[in-house]
Amino acid sequence: MSKVIVITGASSGIGEATAKLLAKRGDKLVLGARRETKLQQIVSDIEAAGGTAAYALTDVTDLASVKALAQTALDRFGRIDVWMNNAGFMPASEFIKGKVTDWNRMIDVNLRGVLYGIDAALATMRQQKSGHFINIASVAAHTVSPGGGVYSATKAGVWMISEALRQEEAAAKSNVRVTVVSPGAVATEFVDHVTDEGAKQALANYYAQTAISPKRIATSIAATIDLPADAAINEIVIRPTSQD
């Protein structure tokens, strides 16, 4: 049976790859991101391949915008079966560089964006007595390295938010599942967001040698969505085989 799946940060990378894979299987996709031209192209690609998709311009740091994305799904398809909080931001730099604007943006996108997604969709899932949140964290949620302090803190926060939500929904017996996905190095646009030139070059070199396709992450997400409703994969850690 097809599902209605909302994905934030859907204009590239893991979001785009997941949308296209799920649409190919027959799921109905509702895509949110800030780049309308990219969203239009992805929806066009999905429809050309026989799939079904809609989009809404979405800024995950704006609660009203995220709620409008949820309303798009409800207006178009009448329900929300899966909400994937995928939008993320990773401008690595050491603290001494004082990249306060980058720190604030990471907090806004990586933490508030997830919270706003939960707020936008949870009441609908409770009413349906079913649903599934997929929150994209990172292997950085489990470790930290120089230059990655704020990013790791936000992604550890995503892990904690996800686990608290899982416990709350289990206690409520709402049949709402929660999965946190922690990818390693994936070939996305993340490196492009780094404003510290030294860190950017180092990351670019590392990713060029190590990163895997976002299609690998999409495949793991599809597998957890497919699990029968009486069970949930609560965490996936997936990294390149060569990543230490």
Side-chain angles (χ1 to χ4, degrees):
M1 180 173 152
S2 69
K3 294 185 176 182
V4 177
I5 300 173
V6 180
I7 301 177
T8 68
S11 60
S12 65
I14 293 170
E16 178 182 1
T18 304
K20 288 181 174 178
L21 175 62
L22 297 177
K24 190 174 182 180
R25 307 180 333 161
D27 293 318
K28 299 176 179 68
L29 276 297
V30 181
L31 311 180
R34 294 180 301 157
R35 295 180 290 180
E36 187 167 23
T37 301
K38 292 282 291 182
L39 289 171
Q40 288 172 336
Q41 184 60 56
I42 294 166
V43 169
S44 177
D45 292 345
I46 287 172
E47 292 177 341
T52 302
Y55 78 87
L57 283 176
T58 306
D59 177 356
V60 298
T61 70
D62 181 340
L63 179 58
S65 181
V66 179
K67 288 195 170 187
L69 176 63
Q71 194 60 49
T72 297
L74 296 173
D75 291 345
R76 180 77 183 268
F77 302 116
R79 60 186 294 112
I80 298 171
D81 295 301
V82 180
W83 185 286
M84 180 172 156
N85 284 307
N86 170 69
F89 189 59
M90 187 190 72
S93 65
E94 294 178 346
F95 289 112
I96 192 62
K97 302 293 179 64
K99 298 278 188 177
V100 177
T101 299
D102 287 349
W103 304 345
N104 289 338
R105 183 69 178 163
M106 276 187 278
I107 292 166
D108 287 343
V109 174
N110 299 352
L111 281 177
R112 288 193 177 91
V114 170
L115 292 169
Y116 290 170
I118 292 168
D119 186 60
L122 183 55
T124 294
M125 292 182 182
R126 284 273 189 113
Q127 187 175 22
Q128 293 170 175
K129 301 188 185 308
S130 69
H132 191 171
F133 284 98
I134 298 175
N135 298 329
I136 306 301
S138 168
V139 294
H142 303 273
T143 187
V144 69
S145 58
V150 178
Y151 182 70
S152 284
T154 61
K155 290 303 186 177
V158 171
W159 191 98
M160 290 294 182
I161 289 165
S162 301
E163 176 59 11
L165 179 62
R166 183 197 69 78
Q167 293 180 24
E168 290 174 10
E169 296 312 300
K173 301 194 181 305
S174 65
N175 204 34
V176 173
R177 302 189 291 182
V178 181
T179 302
V180 58
V181 181
S182 293
V186 180
T188 69
E189 297 178 351
F190 262 15
V191 175
D192 297 340
H193 300 154
V194 179
T195 59
D196 180 274
E197 286 304 320
K200 185 173 187 175
Q201 190 58 54
L203 278 171
N205 292 340
Y206 180 75
Y207 271 57
Q209 297 173 18
T210 309
I212 54 175
S213 168
K215 293 178 180 179
R216 306 291 181 267
I217 315 305
T219 299
S220 68
I221 290 168
T224 192
I225 290 172
D226 285 345
L227 203 65
D230 64 354
I233 296 173
N234 299 128
E235 183 173 15
I236 297 171
V237 179
I238 176 169
R239 55 165 64 88
T241 305
S242 62
Q243 184 175 359
D244 58 20

